């Protein structure tokens, strides 16, 4: 089966071969630190071997729970914030037909403090059959805790406490925390957030797998792809090791003043994959006054809004582009008798062919304007290749963080707004 590959031709003139060779030496050293567990944050490396070492018994329970939810619920409300929802939402939106009708639709709550959104969700669910998957290590994170308190009350009012117990699924710490205490008291079915896996690295755990399975996608294939990625990145050397190569290219560009990376896709369904990527890299690298700022765009849509700045604005940008080689579906542009829109010159081509030419033209134009492009080629868009890509990004991010000499696995800055908010709300102890 074909795996992903990197095309960095659109960095020529900005990055030289000698620079790549030099930075690859440092990337290999960073990967050795990662593999041997000698670096900062080494208590949070559980994701690294996860595709081989995941709990098979829990994995089967996840699939059974998903089948149960599909049998009795039109909707699963997944409650979580940050890594507790972004990975699942990214995978589901990337794979599902946006115009289709899934057997059970996965909704997301607890990722904001919008009273309007929560009130409208409660109203929407009143005449629906639904269940909850609440995801929180502690159970006290403000946004999901608010959502869970309200939605749990609504679920119990609709079904009664006994049936509600059968419709609440908890993903939390194995031993401690407010949510774990409630789970044990009420007897909810529960799944584990491992102590050694941070939220932004958790998509291939129960955190992401249960909602993804409920949405109808093959989590066996997802894990198979992640496993292939893990093996490839350990076994391949030099430029064939794509994680080292990608981390090296990013850091060369960073050292040249390219401080903003735009993850670009040419498929609207990949917008939330970009949101997951932004948390992964932003929270991992953005500390100690360092880090590449992660941004995103969907082309060609955003070429009509941000294209001017990317082409001619401040030269602090580079792009990483996801190129899907085999589309999930396609359509041929017909020839018409009256060529009023002037499109007969491309009649007979598929829309995806036009999209791919737009990608090549944009990369060429942006490079001419001083914006290099790293292209990630994905052979096919399915669970296997998405699993491969997710692990590739996770491992690349860790290597890149060590190249920057930061801890890729903590997030001290995230706590600052919480302390101020708690103090302003009058929370005891603040």
């Amino acid at each position: 089966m074909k795996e992903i590959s990197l095309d960095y031709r659109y960095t020529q003139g900005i990055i030289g071969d000698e620079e790549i060779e030099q930075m690859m030496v440092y990337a290999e050293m960073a990967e050795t630190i990662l593999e041997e567990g000698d670096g900062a944050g080494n208590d949070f490396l559980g994701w690294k071997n996860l595709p081989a070492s995941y709990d098979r018994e829990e994995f089967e329970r996840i699939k059974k729970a998903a089948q149960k939810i599909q049998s009795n619920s039109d909707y699963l409300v997944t409650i979580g914030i940050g890594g507790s929802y972004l990975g699942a939402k990214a995978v589901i939106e990337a794979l599902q037909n946006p115009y289709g009708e899934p057997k059970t639709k996965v909704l997301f709550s607890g990722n904001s403090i919008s009273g309007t959104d929560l009130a409208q969700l409660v109203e929407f669910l009143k005449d629906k059959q639904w269940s909850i998957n609440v995801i929180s290590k502690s159970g006290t994170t403000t946004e999901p805790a608010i959502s869970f308190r309200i939605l749990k009350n609504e679920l119990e009012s609709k079904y009664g406490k006994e049936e509600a117990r059968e419709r609440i699924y908890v993903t939390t710490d194995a031993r401690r925390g407010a949510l774990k205490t409630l789970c044990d008291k009420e007897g909810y079915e529960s799944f584990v957030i491992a102590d050694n896996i941070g939220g932004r690295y958790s998509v291939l755990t129960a955190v992401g797998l249960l909602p993804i399975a409920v949405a109808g996608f093959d989590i066996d294939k997802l894990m198979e792809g992640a496993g292939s990625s893990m093996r490839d990145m350990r076994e391949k050397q030099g430029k064939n090791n794509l994680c080292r190569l990608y981390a090296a290219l990013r850091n060369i560009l960073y050292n040249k003043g390219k401080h903003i990376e735009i993850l670009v896709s040419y498929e609207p369904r990949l917008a939330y994959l970009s949101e997951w990527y932004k948390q992964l890299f932003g929270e991992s690298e953005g500390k100690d006054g360092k880090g590449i700022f992660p941004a995103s765009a969907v082309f060609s849509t955003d070429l009509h809004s941000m294209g001017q700045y990317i082409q001619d604005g401040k030269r602090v940008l580079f792009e990483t582009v996801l190129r899907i080689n085999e589309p999930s579906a396609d359509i041929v542009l017909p020839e018409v008798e009256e060529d009023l829109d002037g499109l007969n010159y491309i009649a007979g081509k598929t829309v995806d062919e036009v999209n791919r030419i737009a990608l090549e033209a944009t990369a060429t134009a942006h490079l001419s304007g001083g914006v290099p492009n790293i292209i990630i080629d994905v052979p096919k868009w399915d669970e296997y290749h998405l699993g491969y890509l997710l692990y590739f990004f996770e491992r690349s991010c860790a290597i890149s963080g060590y190249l920057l000499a930061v801890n890729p696995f903590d997030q001290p800055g995230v706590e600052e707004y919480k302390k101020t908010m708690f103090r302003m709300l009058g929370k005891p102890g603040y």
Side-chain angles (χ1 to χ4, degrees), residues 164-380:
R165 282 193 187 97
E166 297 296 314
R167 290 176 173 269
I168 295 175
Y169 301 83
V170 174
T171 309
T172 191
D173 192 274
R175 294 178 296 277
R176 64 182 76 88
L179 192 53
K180 173 61 176 171
T181 299
L182 177 66
C183 182
D184 290 344
K185 177 185 174 185
E186 297 293 341
Y188 303 141
E189 181 161 10
S190 65
F191 304 96
V192 173
I193 301 176
D195 287 338
N196 61 354
I197 300 178
R200 58 189 179 273
Y201 289 86
S202 68
V203 61
L204 298 173
T205 72
V207 170
L209 294 177
L210 179 58
I212 292 167
V214 170
F217 299 110
D218 189 338
I219 59 175
D220 287 286
K221 289 292 184 184
L222 193 73
M223 295 304 290
E224 182 186 346
S228 294
S229 185
M230 179 189 71
R231 289 187 295 275
D232 282 351
M233 302 313 162
R234 282 179 170 161
E235 294 170 2
K236 294 184 178 180
Q237 300 300 314
K239 292 178 183 177
N240 290 321
N241 185 313
L242 299 187
C243 288
R244 283 185 213 163
L245 178 58
Y246 180 48
L249 292 169
R250 295 178 77 249
N251 279 272
I252 293 169
L253 291 169
Y254 175 72
N255 292 337
K256 290 176 177 285
K258 306 294 186 182
H259 295 162
I260 299 173
E261 177 179 20
I262 306 174
L263 184 69
V264 173
S265 68
Y266 281 72
E267 292 288 345
R269 66 174 61 189
L270 303 189
Y272 250 91
L273 182 66
S274 297
E275 296 304 308
W276 171 81
Y277 144 91
K278 286 193 286 189
Q279 187 202 5
L280 177 67
F281 280 89
E283 209 167 71
S284 297
E285 293 187 325
K287 56 201 69 165
D288 301 338
K290 303 174 184 177
I292 299 168
F293 183 84
S296 64
V298 177
F299 289 168
S300 62
T301 305
D302 291 336
L303 289 173
H304 295 261
S305 57
M306 294 302 295
Q308 173 62 43
Y309 187 96
I310 295 170
Q311 187 70 42
D312 288 336
K314 196 169 177 64
R315 301 297 75 192
V316 294
L317 309 173
F318 71 96
E319 294 169 305
T320 292
V321 181
L322 293 176
R323 179 165 61 190
I324 313 303
N325 294 331
E326 183 181 325
S328 300
D330 203 2
I331 191 167
V332 175
L333 192 69
E335 185 171 2
V336 295
E337 186 173 335
E338 292 188 82
D339 187 25
L340 298 178
D341 55 17
L343 291 180
N344 270 355
Y345 79 101
I346 53 173
K349 292 185 182 294
T350 71
V351 174
D352 186 67
E353 286 180 87
V354 178
N355 201 27
R356 290 176 65 81
I357 292 170
L359 184 157
E360 292 173 16
T362 302
T364 300
H366 286 181
L367 178 60
S368 73
V371 180
N373 276 229
I374 304 165
I375 298 177
I376 301 175
D377 275 305
V378 183
K380 185 178 181 181

